Amino acid sequence: DTAVSQTPKYLVTQMGNDKSIKCEQNLGHDTMYWYKQDSKKFLKIMFSYNNKELIINETVPNRFSPKSPDKAHLNLHINSLELGDSAVYFCASSRFGETQYFGPGTRLLVL
Amino acid sequence: DQQVKQNSPSLSVQEGRISILNCDYTNSMFDYFLWYKKYPAEGPTFLISISSIKDKNEDGRFTVFLNKSAKHLSLHIVPSQPGDSAVYFCAAGKSGGSYIPTFGRGTSLIVHP
């Protein structure tokens, strides 16, 4: 009965590949987010979706594309992976304007 | 440009004593502040928050203090327990708009038995 789940938990891949990370929440929240935690440990917002519509798109390369098939899911597709994409990616959800609930993270390593 | 700063990357405290984690912010428009706790291999979990209309909020062993003039907040844990060992993230945001807080880089707290 995990509230916010992400798959996979670990992802090791070669430069240039395309990969996806899936996120699902069963909290009935209307807003979902993707964060990146880089080597300096900052948690930086990448995208935010409210009711399946993009409301925030921070300065992120267009190789990253979020897709929200419904309010409970927000997947992250990454094309042409680069070494600098190695990080921990966290999905989160909330009711709009309220506290965020985070998933366990996906550890991406690009070789 | 770091709008939320946690200048101490780590803190070590004896069990039973007080832990004080500090956070500074630069954006005077921030009007709500949160602390999240993160264990290894898990996502951050919400711990406690405070609105800019208050200067203190308490929840059990956890108290957050806000000093708006100094743009500073702190999290006090009393008494500290070994299970409190985790990374603590400070976050701040503006009501209205996207409501997405800005996070600091975290402080790793170790509580020794």
Side-chain angles (χ1 to χ4, degrees):
Chain A
D1 59 345
T2 307
V4 182
S5 59
Q6 295 179 229
T7 53
K9 197 162 186 179
Y10 298 95
L11 185 52
V12 182
T13 187
Q14 298 286 332
M15 254 191 337
N17 283 351
D18 303 337
K19 290 293 178 186
S20 295
I21 307 172
K22 295 186 176 180
C23 178
E24 176 179 3
Q25 54 96 3
N26 62 7
L27 297 167
H29 289 162
D30 55 5
T31 307
M32 296 185 72
Y33 315 81
W34 277 108
Y35 283 83
K36 178 181 180 181
Q37 185 181 31
D38 58 23
S39 57
K40 294 184 179 178
K41 304 302 182 185
F42 285 102
L43 270 168
K44 294 183 180 175
I45 185 69
M46 300 174 69
F47 301 100
S48 174
Y49 267 71
N50 177 253
N51 285 319
K52 293 174 55 183
E53 290 191 19
L54 182 66
I55 58 171
I56 286 284
N57 181 357
E58 292 293 323
T59 306
V60 176
N62 57 16
R63 298 181 295 104
F64 291 79
S65 55
K67 292 208 170 35
S68 181
D70 55 58
K71 285 197 323 184
H73 296 84
L74 181 63
N75 303 324
L76 184 64
H77 301 275
I78 316 171
N79 295 325
S80 303
L81 277 154
E82 300 178 355
L83 295 176
D85 297 333
S86 296
V88 183
Y89 292 85
F90 289 99
C91 176
S93 74
S94 73
R95 294 194 194 284
F96 187 74
E98 297 186 5
T99 306
Q100 295 165 317
Y101 290 74
F102 284 81
T106 295
R107 285 138 193 87
L108 172 64
L109 178 60
V110 182
L111 302 174
Chain B
D1 177 32
Q2 300 172 40
Q3 297 188 67
V4 178
K5 301 178 187 180
Q6 294 178 258
N7 293 320
S8 298
S10 63
L11 175 67
S12 183
V13 170
Q14 200 72 27
E15 181 179 7
R17 307 292 292 267
I18 184 171
S19 295
I20 300 176
L21 297 105
N22 294 304
C23 178
D24 298 294
Y25 61 97
T26 58
N27 190 336
S28 57
M29 299 296 290
F30 287 148
D31 59 4
Y32 71 93
F33 306 87
L34 314 99
W35 285 94
Y36 281 81
K37 177 179 179 178
K38 182 184 178 305
Y39 292 118
E42 294 183 12
T45 55
F46 171 73
L47 187 59
I48 192 169
S49 65
I50 189 167
S51 155
S52 60
I53 62 172
K54 291 186 168 184
D55 54 19
K56 176 182 173 181
N57 188 26
E58 194 170 349
D59 183 1
R61 297 185 297 113
F62 302 91
T63 303
V64 56
F65 294 92
L66 176 63
N67 182 335
K68 287 188 293 292
S69 60
K71 294 194 182 69
H72 177 83
L73 64 154
S74 60
L75 175 68
H76 293 215
I77 307 173
V78 182
S80 302
Q81 298 173 355
D84 297 329
S85 298
V87 176
Y88 290 79
F89 287 96
C90 172
K94 294 180 284 188
S95 301
S98 65
Y99 285 95
I100 296 177
T102 299
F103 283 80
R105 62 188 298 177
T107 295
S108 176
L109 172 67
I110 300 171
V111 180
H112 297 283

